[in-house]
Amino acid sequence: MELKNDLLLRVARGEAVERPPVWLMRQAGRILPQYRAVREKLSGFKELVETPELAAEVTIQPVDELDVDAAIIFSDILVIPEAMGLDYEMVEKRGPLFPRTIRSESDIEKLVDGETAASRLGYVYDALELARKNLGGRVPLIGFSGAPWTLLAYMVEGSGSKTFSKAKRLLYTEPALAHRLLEKITQTIIAYLREKARYGADLIQLFDSWGGILSPALYREFSTPYLQQICSSIPEVPVTVFAKGAWFALEDIARMDCQVIGLDWNISAEEGRSRVGGQKVLQGNLDPCFLYAGPSQIRRAVREMLEAFGGRHIANLGHGVYPDTPLEGVKAFVQAVKDYRYK
Ligand code: CP3
């Protein structure tokens, strides 16, 4: 289907454009009253993720309400561990919980991987296909996956954590096992993302949400090679690598076969640009907390951000929008980008 607004894809391909495209990580979620209304009627988060009609509906809500330049398919990074044989629960107000975790070599060997695991995610592909159809070419549709290290972190730790020390312990004490697990996760992600591209994802974003808790040396050993393997395995679509907190790895990420690099707010646009070089597009990076400020302050901050990136840029926050962000702030952010023109 012909896209009516392909700004995101033109920028990702390196073309010069009149203004940056804008979308927000976690735009499909609790900031929208429409989302909360759908969610309230359900048994829980997983029912929404696993019902393609509803997942497609909440995917499109931010395009209707916020007029963003892209949709991101509503799902979660934890569908991959589940497809590999490790079920998760989403506990209200607490977050993800894995009743069983990875503790030994035999736990890893028992995991299903690659295409067999990816074939269990039919509900995601159905949601993508439906969202794409119902978007009718209004904006591109982003597909995503967690990065191998971030998924390992949840599979070993069993829940969110400040330190992920169980997961990091595995890297230090059983590196061969960690690599075996990362390989199985990577093969599953590749099969999954190829399917997503086939079902209509226009761009893929990899979330390495826990990249920043690794040392540069650990990151280079346990994350970089797997991210690169994924980037080079989905040549059909542009890829964004967003490694939260892993500013120390920027030069390594800049060498990957990706088109876009996501930045969080811990690094300035100037430093990001000089360390990445001109070959990649940068995405980000306003602090999500800035959206608690008033509209005029937000507009000023957005203009400063766009000036600092100065082109080859996708406007976004430095991480997902927080659920209690006033809709007014979110709209001021989006509108300020849409009103901007490059000189
Ligand atoms: O709009 C979008 O960005 C698309 C949907 C999306 C969700 N999760 C929906 C969701 C995406 C891209 C994700 C990715 C995801 N999930 C990440 C990587 C991005 C990041 O934030 O670093 C991670 C680490 C997860 C794991 C996860 N899922 C956690 C830790 C939580 C609980 C925290 C919370 O916000 O409540 C979730 C639940 C989740 N995933 C919600 C949403 C909208 C909350 C939903 C609800 O309770 O209705």
Side-chain angles (χ1 to χ4, degrees):
M1 194 180 309
E2 187 83 10
L3 279 172
K4 296 179 188 86
N5 172 353
D6 65 349
L7 195 56
L8 178 83
L9 302 181
R10 283 191 281 140
V11 172
R13 283 195 296 259
E15 291 172 28
V17 291
E18 55 286 4
R19 66 160 174 92
V22 57
W23 68 282
L24 292 87
M25 292 185 272
R26 287 285 174 98
Q27 65 188 19
R30 289 164 295 188
I31 52 163
L32 297 178
Q34 301 91 317
Y35 173 87
R36 296 195 298 267
V38 171
R39 182 72 167 69
E40 251 166 37
K41 293 191 216 117
L42 304 175
S43 63
F45 174 76
K46 287 182 78 173
E47 189 183 347
L48 182 48
V49 167
E50 291 164 12
T51 311
E53 293 72 24
L54 297 175
E57 181 184 337
V58 300
T59 298
I60 298 171
Q61 285 174 349
V63 181
D64 290 334
E65 181 69 30
L66 306 173
D67 204 19
V68 281
D69 294 307
I72 178 164
I73 187 67
F74 187 83
S75 184
D76 202 84
I77 62 169
L78 303 177
V79 301
I80 291 273
E82 183 156 271
M84 295 178 75
L86 219 55
D87 294 348
Y88 74 97
E89 297 164 9
M90 195 60 77
V91 184
E92 215 60 44
K93 298 200 166 66
R94 290 207 40 213
L97 183 74
F98 288 83
R100 285 179 302 116
T101 55
I102 299 295
R103 296 173 175 272
S104 64
E105 186 167 8
S106 79
D107 292 338
I108 297 173
E109 290 319 312
K110 272 186 236 143
L111 291 172
V112 180
D113 70 342
E115 285 174 16
T116 317
S119 72
R120 296 177 171 182
L121 294 169
Y123 59 87
V124 182
Y125 315 133
D126 290 345
L128 257 168
E129 195 170 36
L130 199 58
R132 187 176 161 84
K133 182 172 149 257
N134 294 347
L135 275 169
R138 286 165 69 196
V139 290
L141 181 54
I142 300 170
F144 69 89
S145 169
W149 152 247
T150 287
L151 294 181
L152 176 148
Y154 281 109
M155 292 166 84
V156 172
E157 197 78 27
S159 66
S161 157
K162 279 209 175 91
T163 55
F164 279 92
S165 42
K166 291 194 190 95
K168 285 174 75 177
R169 176 177 9 193
L170 185 76
L171 307 189
Y172 283 117
T173 62
E174 301 270 12
L177 279 192
H179 280 298
R180 178 74 191 117
L181 178 52
L182 288 165
E183 241 154 60
K184 291 188 94 166
I185 297 170
T186 300
Q187 288 316 314
T188 307
I189 292 172
I190 290 172
Y192 174 61
L193 293 180
R194 282 200 181 133
E195 248 352 58
K196 274 189 158 173
R198 203 161 73 84
Y199 278 88
D202 296 295
L203 179 148
I204 294 292
Q205 176 155 329
L206 301 172
F207 286 94
D208 209 354
S209 302
W210 297 107
I213 63 172
L214 296 182
S215 69
L218 280 188
Y219 198 80
R220 192 166 279 174
E221 177 173 357
F222 294 101
S223 192
T224 310
Y226 299 99
L227 284 171
Q228 164 53 19
Q229 212 179 315
I230 296 166
C231 289
S232 62
S233 303
I234 33 172
E236 303 85 358
V237 288
V239 178
T240 300
V241 175
F242 174 58
K244 170 113 190 3
W247 45 269
F248 51 80
L250 261 189
E251 282 82 0
D252 289 339
I253 296 172
R255 279 191 286 273
M256 291 178 193
D257 289 317
C258 65
Q259 286 65 34
V260 184
I261 298 178
L263 300 180
D264 63 35
W265 64 90
N266 289 133
I267 183 163
S268 69
E270 292 81 1
E271 187 179 348
R273 286 174 73 183
S274 76
R275 289 182 49 196
V276 165
Q279 294 311 303
K280 309 281 187 202
V281 173
L282 297 177
Q283 175 174 277
N285 71 341
L286 193 74
D287 184 342
C289 287
F290 210 113
L291 302 191
Y292 296 124
S296 64
Q297 273 175 288
I298 294 173
R299 277 193 294 273
R300 199 171 329 120
V302 166
R303 278 197 299 272
E304 280 168 18
M305 170 175 84
L306 303 187
E307 297 287 340
F309 279 100
R312 296 184 68 91
H313 176 221
I314 297 166
N316 206 314
L317 301 177
H319 199 194
V321 60
Y322 298 130
D324 64 347
T325 308
L327 210 46
E328 192 194 26
V330 178
K331 288 185 172 173
F333 174 79
V334 173
Q335 198 53 48
V337 180
K338 299 192 83 166
D339 289 341
Y340 188 80
R341 291 292 173 275
Y342 288 124
K343 290 185 193 76

